[in-house]
Amino acid sequence: MASDTIEKGDIVWLEYDAWTVNPNGTQTLFDTTHDEVAKKEGKFEEKKVYIESPVVVGKGRLFEGLDAALIGAKIGEGKEVVIPAEKGAGVRDPRLVELKTEREFLRQEIDPEVGMEVSISGKRGIVTAVSAGRVRVDFNNPLAGKTLKYIVTPVRKAKTPEERVRAVIEMDYGLGEQFKIHLEDGASEIQLPDVCKTDEKWFVSKFRVVADLRELTELKTIQFVEEYEKKETKPEAAPPPEAEAAKAAAEPATPAETKPRKKATATKPKPTRRAAKGEAAAPREKAPEEL
């Protein structure tokens, strides 16, 4: 049975609230897996899913201080971790604060404003000042230079090869539970959910998923399968006789049907009309006794 103690290389799901500790002692929430906490702090995002998040421990994927605190921790036990800047997002680097001309933004149809997140030459930064045709952009990590505090609880650990594969997909793309995974003798066959077939995010994430599966699992081959099924069209059910009769009654008669058709009947035939004056009468058929 796998241990509940977290070791280097484990993939675990975390619940957490993450704060920056300000110089005046106040705290500002910057991330959480709890929607009620986000709402309370005015940080709730409608499009975000608030749920425990899988992470890899001891592989440099987390802030150094958080990584160290998780190794040796127990599943289900919460703890508070305070992380200084040098073991968090790092110290601020003044060289990563750059001045740009406002024209550079206007050419991209961007009207720069303080606090706006922008991407320039592949680098992401925050606009910190706009003045006299100049725009100052800070390319430091927004958490750089700040003390961080995590209230974190590891809730479960990936214990089987399939759980690890599913966790990697969840980390790098999301929707891990919607993938069908078949593992055998170091080979994997991963059937994609329909959403991946047209999702540009998947086309980018796929390469990261493959790289992480190679690093974090013992798989030798990785195969993604897209399945397209032809849907059979069902024949229309014949309408009940009552519906056919109602339809026939509602439809106007065609010219060929303007005269009623003769029907077989058990009633006596109508007598033939008498001949008009001056019109030769049709010869009467003699009765047997007149012959």
Side-chain angles (χ1 to χ4, degrees):
M1 183 176 177
S3 169
D4 282 340
T5 301
I6 299 173
E7 302 174 357
K8 183 177 180 179
D10 281 345
I11 299 178
V12 299
W13 280 261
L14 302 180
E15 288 186 354
Y16 61 85
D17 302 317
W19 312 74
T20 57
V21 181
N22 305 315
N24 62 2
T26 60
Q27 301 177 14
T28 302
L29 183 76
F30 70 87
D31 198 8
T32 181
T33 58
H34 304 108
D35 56 355
E36 67 275 12
V37 174
K39 291 175 181 177
K40 180 180 177 182
E41 297 299 318
K43 300 285 188 177
F44 183 75
E45 300 176 31
E46 289 287 347
K47 295 183 179 181
K48 182 175 179 178
V49 178
Y50 292 88
I51 191 171
E52 63 267 17
S53 178
V55 300
V56 185
V57 177
K59 293 285 188 177
R61 307 287 185 94
L62 304 173
F63 293 136
E64 181 184 347
L66 182 59
D67 235 358
L70 288 174
I71 294 177
K74 299 282 188 181
I75 297 296
E77 293 184 0
K79 63 193 309 183
E80 180 178 307
V81 184
V82 177
I83 306 171
E86 58 271 19
K87 292 190 176 182
V91 298
R92 284 178 52 78
D93 185 348
R95 294 172 298 179
L96 295 179
V97 179
E98 301 178 11
L99 277 178
K100 303 289 184 180
T101 64
E102 193 170 6
R103 288 196 303 273
E104 292 182 59
F105 295 89
L106 297 179
R107 280 198 296 265
Q108 301 180 51
E109 298 183 351
I110 298 173
D111 187 12
E113 297 179 359
V114 174
M116 178 184 289
E117 184 175 320
V118 295
S119 178
I120 301 175
S121 302
K123 297 187 299 180
R124 303 186 72 84
I126 302 294
V127 175
T128 57
V130 180
S131 177
R134 299 288 181 180
V135 181
R136 187 171 67 208
V137 183
D138 189 348
F139 292 103
N140 280 285
N141 186 312
L143 299 175
K146 298 180 179 180
T147 298
L148 311 179
K149 185 178 85 170
Y150 277 82
I151 298 174
V152 59
T153 303
V155 293
R156 59 192 175 99
K157 178 165 61 171
K159 297 179 179 180
T160 67
E162 181 178 333
E163 286 180 339
R164 287 183 73 87
V165 171
R166 205 173 292 281
V168 167
I169 295 172
E170 181 65 33
M171 283 189 298
D172 293 340
Y173 174 68
L175 307 178
E177 293 302 317
Q178 295 189 25
F179 288 73
K180 294 179 182 179
I181 299 171
H182 177 70
L183 306 177
E184 186 175 358
D185 298 330
S188 69
E189 182 180 283
I190 303 172
Q191 185 173 327
L192 307 182
D194 287 344
V195 67
C196 290
K197 298 171 185 175
T198 56
D199 187 7
E200 292 183 1
K201 180 184 174 185
W202 168 249
F203 302 146
V204 176
S205 301
K206 176 171 62 176
F207 301 101
R208 186 165 60 248
V209 170
V210 170
D212 279 349
L213 288 176
R214 286 172 173 168
E215 178 184 355
L216 302 173
T217 71
E218 297 180 355
L219 293 175
K220 295 181 177 64
T221 61
I222 302 161
Q223 181 179 11
F224 294 112
V225 178
E226 294 183 22
E227 185 174 273
Y228 296 86
E229 181 179 356
K230 181 180 180 180
K231 295 183 179 180
E232 298 292 338
T233 55
K234 295 182 179 179
E236 293 185 5
E242 297 83 358
E244 283 288 349
K247 180 180 178 183
E251 289 180 351
T254 61
E257 296 177 343
T258 53
K259 294 182 180 180
R261 296 178 179 178
K262 293 183 179 179
K263 297 181 181 179
T265 177
T267 59
K268 292 181 180 180
K270 293 181 180 179
T272 57
R273 67 180 179 88
R274 293 181 179 178
K277 188 176 181 180
E279 180 181 353
R284 182 173 65 87
E285 186 178 348
K286 295 181 179 180
E289 61 272 18
E290 295 179 318
L291 294 175

